């Protein structure tokens, strides 16, 4: 059982990790709370009473008060982030004790364990502003969506933002290959296929290959071609908690896992070559994607067929125009295949990506 006491909510999340504070003399309850802290990757401070120093009470990002200690802490200064923890599901007076100490939540074990592990993990990771998460999808095959996704991620990292590039297309050949890092050490999607519940953001980041100053979650060359939706949800949620930017290269084949990815995106770019057949195909993609995403924009790639320009393509699709996506001639030459798209910071593709991030970061409220 968990419940919320109505009063002022906790303040905005901190940008630095902190140690939760446990106050209890109940040895069995303490064992449970220590076990849950370990599962969340946190090392708590344990007290039998309110710390002598007021800072120990006010500075802890989360305070877990055992039901046995409620009256002992009732005189402490009111602060957000206090959880009253007990085990007696039938104790109706627990709510009075929660009000007495100014608790945000009342939680009964074992029912509330999953919720509490998530809450402890948030403070252990120092959860801050969530990442701006952008998806890229082609209006037709060969539209250049993967190239744009890589270039956006490389540009974001070059601007000094924490960046994760996620390859959500198991049949695309691997974005690590496009970035020249197919042999780089680190985990790929199959390692996360069994993930359920919560994935630690820091652990995820550290486990992935680092290429061009960004982290990449791609596919290996094995037989795994799908990741269950709960695993997609857990991984992307962990990535978002780390802040910065997350770029997701999406397949045109929409299954349950892709739908889960779409639901976590802030914005999707639909890459459409300026030709009538591509526009027709992109209309079907836009119809499916638009049922899930909140913000779908079109990036139009030249050269242009007669009678078409970027504004006309956007009008035909009924979507806002993100801009004209130029062809990067150097990427078409075999000798440039080892270069990551946008890696030099020069050329029309890099300029498109820089302008895109400048615009959407301002729209989202500033740098992350």
């Amino acid at each position: 059982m968990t419940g919320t006491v109505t009063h002022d909510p906790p303040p905005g999340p901190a940008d630095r990790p902190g140690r939760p504070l446990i106050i209890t003399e109940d040895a069995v309850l303490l064992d449970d709370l220590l076990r849950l802290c370990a599962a969340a990757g946190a090392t708590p401070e344990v007290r039998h009473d309110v710390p002598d120093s007021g800072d120990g009470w006010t500075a802890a990002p989360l305070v877990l008060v055992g039901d046995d200690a409620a009256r002992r802490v009732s005189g402490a200064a009111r602060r957000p982030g206090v959880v009253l923890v007990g085990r007696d599901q039938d104790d109706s007076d627990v709510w009075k004790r929660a009000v007495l100490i100014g608790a945000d939540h009342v939680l009964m074990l074992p029912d509330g364990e999953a919720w509490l592990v998530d809450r402890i993990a948030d403070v252990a990771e120092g959860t801050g502003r969530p990442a701006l998460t952008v998806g890229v999808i082609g209006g037709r095959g060969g539209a250049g969506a993967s190239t744009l996704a890589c270039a956006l991620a490389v540009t974001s990292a070059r601007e000094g933002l924490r960046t994760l590039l996620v390859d959500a297309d198991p049949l695309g050949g691997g974005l690590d290959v496009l970035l020249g890092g197919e042999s780089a050490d680190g985990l790929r999607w199959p390692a996360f296929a069994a993930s359920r519940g919560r994935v630690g953001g820091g652990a995820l980041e550290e486990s992935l290959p680092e290429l061009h100053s960004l982290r990449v979650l791609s596919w290996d060359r094995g037989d795994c071609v799908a990741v269950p939706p709960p695993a997609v949800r857990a991984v992307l949620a962990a990535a978002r908690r780390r802040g910065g930017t997350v770029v997701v290269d999406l397949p045109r084949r929409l299954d349950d896992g892709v739908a889960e990815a779409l639901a976590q995106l802030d914005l999707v770019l639909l890459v459409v070559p300026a030709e009538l057949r591509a526009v027709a195909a992109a209309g079907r993609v836009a119809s499916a994607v638009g049922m899930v995403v909140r913000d779908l924009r079109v990036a139009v790639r030249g050269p242009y067929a007669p009678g078409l320009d970027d504004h006309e393509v956007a009008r035909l699709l009924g979507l806002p125009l993100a801009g004209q996506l130029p062809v990067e001639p150097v990427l078409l030459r075999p000798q440039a295949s080892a270069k990551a798209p946008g890696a030099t910071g020069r050329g029309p593709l890099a300029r498109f990506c820089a302008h895109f991030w400048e615009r959407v970061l301002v729209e989202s409220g500033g740098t992350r």
Side-chain angles (χ1 to χ4, degrees):
M1 180 183 79
T2 62
T4 301
V5 178
T6 303
H7 60 75
D8 291 339
D15 290 325
R16 67 182 189 281
R19 297 177 64 192
L21 172 63
I22 297 175
I23 301 179
T24 185
E25 287 185 326
D26 184 331
V28 177
L29 179 61
L30 178 59
D31 284 344
D32 285 338
L33 294 177
L34 290 176
R35 172 175 55 81
L36 297 177
C37 285
T43 302
E45 178 183 359
V46 179
R47 300 276 183 164
H48 298 313
D49 209 332
V50 177
D52 295 335
S53 168
D55 290 345
W57 168 263
T58 59
L62 179 67
V63 179
L64 307 178
V65 179
D67 194 29
D68 65 291
R71 297 198 181 279
R72 295 199 301 276
V73 305
S74 60
R78 290 294 188 265
R79 53 148 294 163
V82 175
V83 180
L84 182 62
V85 186
R87 274 198 221 81
D88 186 354
Q89 304 278 356
D90 299 323
D91 182 6
S92 59
D93 288 338
V94 69
W95 299 99
K96 295 178 182 179
R97 293 191 292 277
V99 172
L100 186 68
I101 66 174
D104 295 319
H105 290 83
V106 173
L107 182 141
M108 291 296 170
L109 301 180
D111 292 356
E113 287 191 357
W115 181 91
L116 187 55
V117 169
D118 278 353
R119 188 74 180 270
I120 297 169
D122 280 341
V123 301
E125 289 186 24
T127 303
R129 191 174 185 185
L132 176 62
T133 308
V134 176
V136 185
I137 189 169
R140 67 153 169 79
S146 295
T147 297
L148 177 58
C150 287
L152 286 171
V154 168
T155 303
S156 170
R158 192 171 56 248
E159 294 295 324
L161 296 172
R162 173 184 276 128
T163 305
L164 172 63
L165 175 61
V166 178
D167 186 354
D169 185 0
L171 303 180
L175 293 187
D176 53 351
V177 177
L178 189 54
L179 292 173
E182 60 272 21
S183 60
D185 291 335
L187 300 182
R188 268 66 172 180
W189 262 121
F192 299 97
S195 298
R196 297 292 187 275
R198 185 186 182 97
V199 173
L204 171 68
E205 184 177 39
E206 293 172 5
S207 71
L208 299 177
E210 183 174 7
L211 304 168
H212 304 280
S213 301
L214 60 97
R215 298 287 180 165
V216 182
L217 177 54
S218 189
W219 297 84
D220 61 12
R221 265 38 80 181
D223 296 331
C224 179
V225 294
V227 172
V232 175
R233 183 185 312 120
V235 168
L236 288 183
R240 287 178 61 86
R241 288 195 303 271
R242 295 295 286 170
T245 66
V246 177
V247 180
V248 183
D249 182 31
L250 297 160
R252 295 173 63 243
R253 172 183 58 87
L254 302 185
D255 57 19
D256 291 342
V258 176
E260 182 59 51
L262 288 169
Q264 297 205 40
L265 300 178
D266 297 308
L267 183 156
V268 173
L269 288 178
L270 177 64
V271 182
V272 184
E275 55 190 46
L276 287 176
R277 289 187 64 192
V279 173
R284 292 190 289 272
V285 175
S287 178
V289 172
M291 296 176 64
V292 182
V293 302
R294 299 180 293 273
D295 188 350
L296 178 62
R297 309 181 193 183
V298 60
V300 183
R301 198 200 76 193
Y304 292 92
L308 287 181
D309 61 20
D310 50 356
H311 293 282
E312 179 64 9
V313 171
R315 186 192 68 80
L316 290 171
L317 292 171
L319 295 174
L321 178 63
Q324 177 184 347
L325 180 61
V327 174
E328 188 81 21
V330 70
L331 295 177
L332 304 179
R333 297 202 294 267
Q335 63 268 28
S337 60
K339 289 186 177 180
T344 65
R346 299 187 299 273
L349 181 60
R351 288 194 294 271
F352 173 92
C353 293
H355 292 157
F356 170 82
W357 286 123
E358 181 180 5
R359 182 169 63 253
V360 298
L361 286 170
V362 169
E363 292 174 359
S364 69
T367 58
R368 300 192 174 218

